[in-house]
Amino acid sequence: MKLASLVQKSRSFRRFDETKEIPVKKVEAWIKTLRFLPSARNLQPLRYVVIRSAEPRERLFPLLGWAGYLKGKGTPKEGERPSLYVVIGYDSRLTQNPAMDIGIAAQTLLLLAVSDGYGGCMIGSFDPARVREVVGMEEWFGVGLVVALGKPKEKVVIVPVERGIEYYRDEKGTHYVPKRSVEEIWIKTI
Ligand SMILES: Cc1cc2nc3c(=O)[nH]c(=O)nc-3n(C[C@H](O)[C@H](O)[C@H](O)COP(=O)(O)O)c2cc1C
């Protein structure tokens, strides 16, 4: 698939077929690819923890804030939860400013997942200290983002921004994401 189509197809998915596990080999290939990402000052401060087992998955899930605009209705139900999480952390002894590197890693990971028929959602809404506890890491491990992954089981539709930028769902559960037009975001070429 062309990269432009992959980017369009890679939406934030929050409902999954929980019975469809992501094979270890796939996750391995994704994480191995992340080694090649650019990073500020080539510090390569990012560190990854993959959560596949049921016990840490169950401990992590309630710590995550899902789809804030849907006011509780966007939290995946049992059977629709992610089958895997990648916690993107950073070595705080190397940098205190990892946000851009984390963004690059998270989007690359999602694109890799979509290219293999999976998908997911970046989650930034959590208490880092509690997530650090779940992954069993020490103070130096800063928790950046959690990427929830699985086999998506929902329809996500892009719509123009009319009523606002808040995503919403209809009675069938289709998830709509308003996106600004090219005219609005592309100011000029000089
Ligand atoms: C840095 C970052 C943090 C995010 N944190 C959350 C989050 O905590 N919970 C959640 O449900 N979605 C989260 N999202 C997903 C956004 O809500 C989503 O990107 C937005 O609604 C647009 O939908 P789209 O990704 O399908 O384009 C996050 C996205 C980014 C880039």
Side-chain angles (χ1 to χ4, degrees):
M1 198 189 291
K2 284 250 187 203
L3 184 56
S5 310
L6 206 59
V7 170
Q8 283 188 43
K9 210 178 148 203
S10 181
R11 306 275 40 95
S12 290
F13 297 108
R14 300 182 182 85
R15 284 169 288 177
F16 306 92
D17 180 347
E18 213 173 318
T19 60
K20 299 226 166 76
E21 289 202 356
I22 306 176
V24 180
K25 286 274 167 217
K26 290 267 180 230
V27 189
E28 250 177 50
W30 301 341
I31 305 287
K32 280 181 182 169
T33 305
L34 299 182
R35 197 166 76 81
F36 298 104
L37 294 182
S39 72
R41 293 189 283 152
N42 200 30
L43 285 176
Q44 303 164 69
L46 302 188
R47 303 289 182 264
Y48 305 96
V49 176
V50 176
I51 302 185
R52 285 189 90 236
S53 314
E55 194 261 345
R57 256 166 46 190
E58 277 159 28
R59 284 178 62 209
L60 181 65
F61 180 79
L63 304 184
L64 307 176
W66 293 88
Y69 292 143
L70 302 184
K71 305 195 170 26
K73 291 191 176 139
T75 303
K77 298 192 182 88
E78 244 174 84
E80 296 187 338
R81 293 181 182 165
S83 50
L84 186 140
Y85 300 90
V86 176
V87 177
I88 304 181
Y90 61 96
D91 188 333
S92 60
R93 297 165 298 193
L94 295 175
T95 184
Q96 290 296 315
N97 193 16
M100 292 194 194
D101 289 3
I102 291 168
I104 292 167
Q107 178 67 354
T108 305
L109 178 58
L110 284 181
L111 289 174
L112 287 164
V114 171
S115 76
D116 279 335
Y118 297 92
C121 186
M122 297 178 204
I123 306 279
S125 168
F126 51 75
D127 174 348
R130 294 183 70 190
V131 172
R132 191 196 290 119
E133 226 174 83
V134 171
V135 294
M137 296 298 299
E138 292 150 24
E139 282 289 306
W140 64 263
F141 183 89
V143 181
L145 267 178
V146 175
V147 182
L149 293 156
K151 192 83 180 168
K153 203 182 85 172
E154 73 173 326
K155 194 172 164 198
V156 179
V157 178
I158 300 292
V159 292
V161 171
E162 278 164 357
R163 291 182 294 166
I165 45 77
E166 295 192 11
Y167 45 78
Y168 54 92
R169 289 184 185 168
D170 66 14
E171 63 290 343
K172 286 187 186 149
T174 301
H175 184 93
Y176 297 89
V177 182
K179 292 284 182 195
R180 298 188 199 282
S181 67
V182 178
E183 291 72 25
E184 187 175 356
I185 65 165
W186 186 356
I187 295 176
K188 59 180 172 180
T189 305
I190 53 174

